[in-house]
Amino acid sequence: NGEEIMARSHQVAQELPGSTLERPFGPSWEVYKVRGKMFLAINEAASPEMVNVKCDPVDSGRVSDCG
């Protein structure tokens, strides 16, 4: 469900070495970065909630096939 996806997204992002949390787009957007590069953006205030993941185009097919 959506709550589990949000919680797991935060958990995985926080566990990555060098991961930082910023809010460059305002208080509702939580942006995770490694080495200054964004890899995850979460907006729990949106309806519906949003999780945006940046990844290699080759890997994106594998991720979308999982859902």
Side-chain angles (χ1 to χ4, degrees):
N1 71 31
E3 289 179 20
E4 290 176 22
I5 292 170
M6 292 289 178
R8 185 71 176 135
S9 296
H10 283 289
Q11 178 185 4
V12 170
Q14 292 168 0
E15 291 174 355
L16 292 173
S19 175
T20 61
L21 173 62
E22 299 179 15
R23 289 187 163 77
F25 308 120
S28 63
W29 281 98
E30 296 177 322
V31 174
Y32 287 92
K33 296 181 178 182
V34 170
R35 296 184 181 165
K37 303 273 186 181
M38 182 175 79
F39 68 90
L40 178 68
I42 299 173
N43 186 336
E44 294 184 41
S47 181
E49 297 136 329
M50 296 187 318
V51 175
N52 297 303
V53 180
K54 182 177 178 183
C55 63
D56 184 280
V58 174
D59 294 331
S60 68
R62 290 186 220 147
V63 172
S64 63
D65 290 343
C66 293

